Amino acid sequence: MGRRVRPWWLALVASLLLHGSLLGGLEWRLPQWHPPAEPPPFDAQLIAARPPAAPPQPAPLAAPPRTPRVAPAELPAAAETEVAEAAAIAAADLNAAPALRVDEAPAVAPAPVETPPAPVEAPPAAAEAAAPVLNPLPPRLDLQFRVHYGVASGEQTLLWVNEGERYTLTSVAAASGLAGVFYRGRFVQTSRGRITPHGLQPEEFWDQRGDKRSRASFDAVNGSLTLIPAKGAPRHFAYQGDVQDALSLFFQLALTAPPPDGRLTYTVFNGKKLRDYSYEVRGEEILQTALGELRTLHLARVAGDDGRFEAWLAIDRHYLPVRVLRSDEKGGTVELSVKSIGP
């Protein structure tokens, strides 16, 4: 049986190789952990600088809702290191910037004070429309008419008296000739009131036919009319805006000088009740009268329950009526033709 080889020589070979590597300068180290180098010390100095003047700010807006403050949580060690480095950089920037002295601060001009615009006056109410330009009338006018009613005839006088801001209109009619035997007495109407920038404003109206007499009172402030008839209880009427009576309507037309075309609307008291009347202007016409040939403006009331009414206004005679056609309660037609116009 051969000799058995022992492993001792293997251990010898390994020992020789280890010692040879150590003696031959081979360097082999285990990895080691080194702590991070500490940042170099710095010296920070904060200098209070005067904040620059803020430009004029617009009107303050509503402040946003406040966010509740939350207590800061404890930071880990790595986060603390990052915060320290950021603080060091900020301090270095502050040291590099030159400090601003108080006496070197630029002067700030005070913000200009805006002067509020002057208040704009509100325009007048729409109800207060511009007053028309009134046609001037003499202080006194006396118009004489010939009256025709069927086979009967008569005369009528229309007297206008202007006393500054007051006026009085009186109409007196009576039968003449043979008709006076059958139609006795006089028919008298009177209108009194004020002259305003818009024309006539009646305050009282009287109507007397023989021994029967009625009276009406106008209250322009409250827009009401009270009629006290010859018989019966008083009657009350309400109206809006301007109102005329059977006499003042003629001189209201004379003062306002109607245009040659179009329509006019008036609220008129005809002696018994208030009515709204519309008048159609039919243009100019040449009319033969006792005063000669006259240029007239022809008006006609739009058909209604009160029958016919037409008037011719003399353009060159203050737009005064020189001819009138109207129907009465019995359906008869009354015609007025001018005889004279005088002071």
Side-chain angles (χ1 to χ4, degrees):
M1 183 176 184
R3 184 185 299 182
R4 185 179 181 185
V5 181
R6 298 183 179 181
W8 60 265
W9 61 269
L10 296 175
L12 178 61
V13 173
S15 176
L16 290 175
L17 292 175
L18 177 61
H19 285 82
S21 62
L22 294 174
L23 294 175
L26 295 178
E27 185 177 0
W28 180 81
R29 296 180 181 180
L30 294 176
Q32 297 182 0
W33 178 85
H34 296 280
E38 295 183 0
F42 61 90
D43 190 8
Q45 182 179 5
L46 299 179
I47 300 178
R50 182 177 180 180
Q57 298 294 330
L61 301 177
R66 286 183 133 186
T67 303
R69 299 184 59 186
V70 180
E74 184 176 355
L75 298 177
E80 291 180 357
T81 302
E82 295 177 359
V83 172
E85 292 177 355
I89 296 173
D93 292 341
L94 289 176
N95 289 332
L100 180 64
R101 293 169 50 188
V102 176
D103 55 353
E104 294 178 352
V108 179
V113 179
E114 296 184 359
T115 304
V120 180
E121 295 183 359
E128 298 179 0
V133 178
L134 299 182
N135 183 32
L137 294 178
R140 179 184 175 94
L141 286 169
D142 190 346
L143 287 74
Q144 301 289 331
F145 294 92
R146 169 68 68 177
V147 182
H148 295 279
Y149 180 67
V151 296
S153 62
E155 293 183 352
Q156 181 175 345
T157 299
L158 188 58
L159 180 63
W160 157 268
V161 177
N162 177 2
E163 299 174 344
E165 296 182 355
R166 308 285 306 177
Y167 79 91
T168 301
L169 268 168
T170 304
S171 171
V172 180
S176 61
L178 185 59
V181 177
F182 302 97
Y183 300 95
R184 296 185 178 180
R186 297 188 306 171
F187 176 27
V188 181
Q189 290 181 319
T190 303
S191 173
R192 290 180 181 172
R194 298 177 58 245
I195 302 176
T196 73
H198 293 273
L200 301 185
Q201 185 181 90
E203 294 177 343
E204 296 176 299
F205 181 80
W206 289 271
D207 187 311
Q208 182 175 353
R209 306 186 185 201
D211 56 354
K212 297 179 181 179
R213 181 175 180 176
S214 63
R215 179 173 63 89
S217 299
F218 299 81
D219 185 352
V221 175
N222 298 314
S224 63
L225 183 151
T226 301
L227 170 63
I228 301 177
K231 294 182 180 179
R235 302 172 61 187
H236 303 279
F237 304 90
Y239 63 88
Q240 294 181 350
D242 297 334
V243 66
Q244 301 298 329
D245 57 47
L247 288 183
S248 67
L249 175 63
F250 287 113
F251 282 80
Q252 176 69 11
L253 293 172
L255 286 170
T256 56
D261 55 9
R263 282 195 176 189
L264 306 172
T265 302
Y266 291 99
T267 300
V268 181
F269 176 66
N270 60 11
K272 293 185 178 180
K273 55 187 176 181
L274 278 174
R275 296 297 301 269
D276 291 329
Y277 293 129
S278 293
Y279 302 89
E280 182 181 41
V281 184
R282 297 182 176 178
E284 294 187 16
E285 294 183 13
I286 300 299
L287 190 66
Q288 299 295 333
T289 69
L291 303 178
E293 189 176 85
L294 296 176
R295 292 175 55 234
T296 64
L297 195 63
H298 183 194
L299 281 74
R301 188 168 64 201
V302 177
D305 298 337
D306 290 346
R308 181 182 183 184
F309 179 91
E310 296 182 57
W312 286 259
L313 310 179
I315 298 174
D316 300 324
R317 297 294 183 96
H318 307 290
Y319 287 87
L320 295 172
V322 292
R323 186 186 182 203
V324 178
L325 287 174
R326 64 188 178 195
S327 57
D328 63 4
E329 301 171 351
K330 299 178 181 179
T333 299
V334 180
E335 180 181 5
L336 281 72
S337 299
V338 68
K339 291 174 54 180
S340 65
I341 299 177

